[in-house]
Amino acid sequence: MRRFARALLATTVLLALASTAKADPPADIDATVQQLMANDGVPGMAVGIVEGGKTVLAKGYGVRELGKPAPVDARTLFQIGSTTKAFTSAALALLAEQGKLGWDDRVVDHLPEFQMADPYVTREFTLRDLLTHRSGLGLGAGDLTFMNHADFTRAEVVKALRWLKPQTSFRSQFAYDNVLYAVAGVVIERDSGKVWEYFVRDRLLRPIGMFDSTTDEAARYLNADRAQGHARLGPPFRGEGAQSVLDEKQGLGASVFPAGGIMSSATDMSRWIAVQLAHGQLADGKSRLWSEASAAEMWKPVTLIPPRSGPKPLAAPPPQFQEYALGWFLWDYKGHKIIEHAGGTPGFLTEVVLIPQKNTGFVIMQNSEDLAFKALMYTLLDHYLDLPKTDWGKAYLDAGNLRKAAAKTALATAEKPARIVPQTLDAASLVGQFKDNWYGAMDVQSDQSGLVLTMRKTPGMHAVLKRINGDMYLARWIDPAIEPANVTFVAGEDGKVAHVTMNAASPLADFSYDYQDLDFTPVTPRP
């Protein structure tokens, strides 16, 4: 039986190789990329394409930073965001093949300090659960512990999990998260003896030949050939206005690098794609990083995703199925199976797409938050699947304009509420120290500028509060790259502040600004 299985597998591989995609990228790829960048005002982009195990395109376009001449090239580093998750999954696969862990091991058997809000969930939570977004937590729960370089260690992120309240029952629904990948990073450290940064560098990046790519901040700053992130910071909201260069040292905190901390280039990511398509086999054709069995495990669907929650191509037809595997989305495009993951960090967006039946894959990276990367993704899918051409640039411009118009309407409604609610708490009674169990400390002080709110663990989250309605205030942070928040002070039966809650002010805010999960209470009783 084993001999037959090997023969069948070899035949399958040969058939897959015979069914490769078109021999070349689109003839007009340069003009297409440049037009999409011009449509959206994207400063820089890099594209890598792999066909039949070979890189057929690795190229940069535009500039690394607006106002400076240095061009993007094939080796320019971009933050690849959540496409890092597949590297963390592969790192666990290596440890599984060493016998140091199993996908269905309980997390507490590797991290005794791991604790969720529900004791049953704590006891039953597996390593597979860490990677598949079915924990019961809400969308983006806990992300404020790493946004804008928040000052949390991985150990603190693990410890804070017990305070995050579940939104659904365990393993019943898909809700994308990042903090559990940080936990996976701690598992890797505990079982290998190396921190995630060095394990991924030494056991994945270097064997693949991804020598430019970085897993830690110190290394990324040593490479001058790196892109700077850009965003439109408004007004009236993020996504509008002119491009601004973001402070790269105010990006993701290192605590969550296992979920989104790698920087890489078109050249290096093309090598990663080739290894993925070869199911772990390296370019020399002899060495393997992981086995066929591990490759199948990482691509095996685990969590069913409702159509409204999976990859959201604003202008594209909805897929017929969507699922999440170990660090990868699985879905179909017009009947063709796609293995894909997008990544986003402040100022950067990345897309990695694998088309296994065509033995083809590609990566798109850009140093802005515009939608050009999605338009290019569907353009390349149409090309490699031999589908009719669509003007995806126009489709995404139109869809983006509709989305912005809806956001403006929502913001206008919020600024002029139909019902004016009276203020019940005077400004002096709001001053004090507050604490949320999972985030930590917040201060409200009063000075000549008015009420001032400071989130102690996140640089730049310092704002003069502007009263909107009743006891709700708007916090526009001194760092304009941070999404503004509505801050509501809730009175208790004694007429004093009992709770402080928040929510994102903009309807277009990234879900990682999970203000809605905060519940601050006074640190000391009020006089």
Side-chain angles (χ1 to χ4, degrees), residues 405-423:
K408 286 180 180 178
T409 300
L411 284 173
T413 301
E415 291 175 356
K416 294 183 179 180
R419 177 171 171 263
I420 303 299
V421 178
Q423 184 176 9

Side-chain angles (χ1 to χ4, degrees), residues 82 85 88 111 114 116 125 129-131 133 135 137-147 152-162 164 175-187 255-260 438 511-512 514 517:
S82 286
K85 289 180 170 66
T88 296
L111 301 180
F114 175 81
M116 302 291 281
F125 214 96
D129 293 320
L130 290 176
L131 306 182
H133 311 298
S135 66
L137 296 177
L139 177 65
D143 281 4
L144 281 178
T145 56
F146 66 81
M147 290 299 289
F152 289 83
T153 65
R154 259 168 232 156
E156 288 174 322
V157 169
V158 173
K159 186 176 180 180
L161 279 173
R162 67 199 66 187
L164 287 170
Y176 193 86
D177 71 76
N178 291 291
V179 293
L180 293 174
Y181 271 80
V183 178
V186 179
V187 171
S255 64
V256 81
F257 274 19
W438 70 262
F511 66 75
S512 285
D514 59 321
D517 293 326

Side-chain angles (χ1 to χ4, degrees), residues 90 123-124 143 149 151 167-168 177 237 243 256-257 296 343 377 382 404 442-443 472 514:
R123 186 176 68 248
E124 298 299 320
D143 281 4
H149 224 270
D151 183 22
Q167 301 299 308
T168 65
D177 71 76
F237 51 81
Q243 296 277 19
V256 81
F257 274 19
M377 179 185 85
D382 286 347
K404 290 175 182 178
M442 174 187 79
D443 296 328
M472 177 188 289
D514 59 321

Side-chain angles (χ1 to χ4, degrees), residues 277-299:
L277 290 169
H279 302 170
Q281 185 169 292
L282 294 174
D284 61 11
K286 302 174 184 178
S287 308
R288 275 194 167 274
L289 274 180
W290 57 83
S291 65
E292 288 278 357
S294 289
E297 195 74 48
M298 287 185 279
W299 286 3

Side-chain angles (χ1 to χ4, degrees), residues 94-105:
L94 298 184
L95 292 173
E97 294 197 352
Q98 288 181 258
K100 293 190 174 182
L101 56 84
W103 293 113
D104 296 308
D105 288 358

